[in-house]
Amino acid sequence: MNGPVPGDLHIAGIRKSFGPVQVLHGVSVDIPDGQFTTLLGPSGCGKTTLLRIVAGFEAPDAGTVRLGTTDLLPLPANQRPVNTVFQSYALFPHLTVRDNVAFGLRARRVPEADVKRRADAMLASVRIEALAARRPHELSGGQRQRVALARALVNEPEVLLLDEPMSALDAKLRHDVQLELKRIQRECGITFVLVTHDQDEAIAVSDRILIMNQGRIEQDGTPEEVYERPLSRFVANFMGSANVLDARRLAADQVVTALGDLVVASNPVWEQGSVAIRPEDIEIRTTGEGINHLPGRISDRLFRGDHWEVIVDVRGQSLRVKTEPDQYHAVDQAVFVELPKDDLLVLRD
Amino acid sequence: MRPLPRTVSVTALSCLALLYVPLVAVAVLSFNKTRLGTAWGGFTTGWYERLLSNTTVLTAAKNSLIVACVSTLVATVIGTLLAIGLRRLPLGRRGRLLGEMATTLPTVTPDVLLAAALVVSYGLFRTVSSVFDPGLVTLIIGHITFQISFVAVVVGSRLAAIGTDQIEAARDLYASTGLLWRRVLLPQLAPGIVAGGLLAFTLSLDDFVVSFFVSGPSSTTLPILIYASVKRGVTPEIHALSTLIVAATMLTILGIALLDRRNPRSSRP
């Protein structure tokens, strides 16, 4: 990188403890201007704390947060060019939708004529212009979420922080809002930093996913990368329901697992570690001769609409396998499973 | 649903009757022509007319209103500041709990203890200034001391209901501390402040114990007047006076209830 770019967010060496509990262990990440980045992890991993440090609601014990060349940490929350969409939305119940959206502009003493024009334009762009005169308690959950988004975006922040903004919405609505959020981000070009524990949501909307675990960034990559190539046991488990197997290194391309000996594509760096394979990468065959073909027995199957989830018992171990809806297997049927060696991922731990 | 057993409704209605029959009886008697006893002698508003031309009663009513208005005004301001201060002070969990207890305790302390303590205090202050001679000033200060807690408790519960996320949202949206209070907190606290004030007003208007201890000969309030008159025998005039006070109190309570209904509902999903 050639010198600082004005809108880039640089987070370096952030540490934070609450009493005896350390929630962030030196987190560093650079987020380029205009990127849709997601902090993904289970509750308690420190993702919300990191977001609150950027917003200015928490002060870190150590580390820096810079936006371009501006050091954000000395600035109080109300002077940072950053806005937040809160998990609870935190709308002002005594103000109308329009006054909620106009709050930030008025606080910065934008001329009233501009306030009205910009607030109304923003309401239109999130398609709630008809609700401008309503109060928050008269709105549905999805509508409140749009008001919260409009109230933050109307200020044209350098960075928009979104703290689990969809956790209060039902599944169908969440899907629509994800598409909408992606569209809005593309149109306005503002850097979005989303915090979520929902990996489907992260994959759907992000340019880049930072997977967090116990106060550290566990993996950093595009949605495709973190989904297809999990590097650690934690990521493999967290990103969808991969089969993770304890393994011991036998040779440069061979490991021993509870299922039997398996051929792998890359040389493990460990003697004891783990390998993973996704349910959709495992093939069920009726005859079995070849690399990584193992005999097993169908122990259960669930119809999931667009696929079958089949549980195959191999040497007492359960393997989750995804098959096409037209592929029918009876319970107790003897089969072979193939674990293609290119899909068998050698994890770092 | 299972039909409600008759005993439940009978018990509930009996309890309500226990509360209101005496009040209704007084109100009815205040329109009774018979001067002595409870026999109905015909309808009259004469007792109210006599009451309103009785200068002793009018002076007491004026005193009561002055004391109630001034003490309510002061107590509402102090009580609100106390609630805000308790919320904003960095007290920690235990400190906050202690602060809340210290605020609530006076609302359940027997009035007579407070009254006695006031008498002692005034006695001490009187050596410094004659302002503390029994009179309107001592009455007003006395009423303020017990009103503050009630205001602080009512306002404090409103404040707690607003929640920190709204405060953070206002900060996030560039609000200074002044703007945060003017545009976000005070507008939402207003119904609580007014409700607390109305509660303080009714407490002052009806107070007998504290007033009895700290008032002087020139600062008789209505409850003290009623007490003194009853000792000489209950007259329909007293019934009329009592009815008026009860009516005023009920109207105020009704006002509090209406304000409470107007509170904006929480925005939480």
Side-chain angles (χ1 to χ4, degrees), chain A residues 183-205:
Chain A
R183 172 186 71 82
I184 290 168
Q185 197 268 340
R186 235 188 344 257
E187 283 173 12
C188 68
I190 291 172
T191 310
F192 275 31
V193 180
L194 171 74
V195 157
T196 183
H197 62 266
D198 179 341
Q199 70 277 10
D200 293 333
E201 183 173 305
I203 290 170
V205 300

Side-chain angles (χ1 to χ4, degrees), chain A residues 44 69 114 138 143-144 165 202 243 245 264 267 275 288 292 299 320 335 337 347:
Chain A
T69 52
D114 291 346
E138 298 169 303
Q143 291 166 339
R144 282 182 207 168
N243 298 286
L245 308 164
V264 291
N267 187 3
V275 294
N292 293 354
S299 67
R320 262 190 314 277
V335 294
V337 287
L347 305 177

Side-chain angles (χ1 to χ4, degrees), chain B residues 189-205:
Chain B
L189 277 186
I193 296 173
V194 175
L198 287 177
L199 181 63
F201 186 79
T202 63
L203 288 170
S204 168
L205 208 60

Side-chain angles (χ1 to χ4, degrees), chain B residues 48 51-52 205 238-250:
Chain B
Y48 286 89
L51 190 68
L52 294 178
L205 208 60
I238 296 300
H239 291 322
L241 180 55
S242 307
T243 305
L244 286 179
I245 295 177
V246 168
T249 309
M250 280 183 164

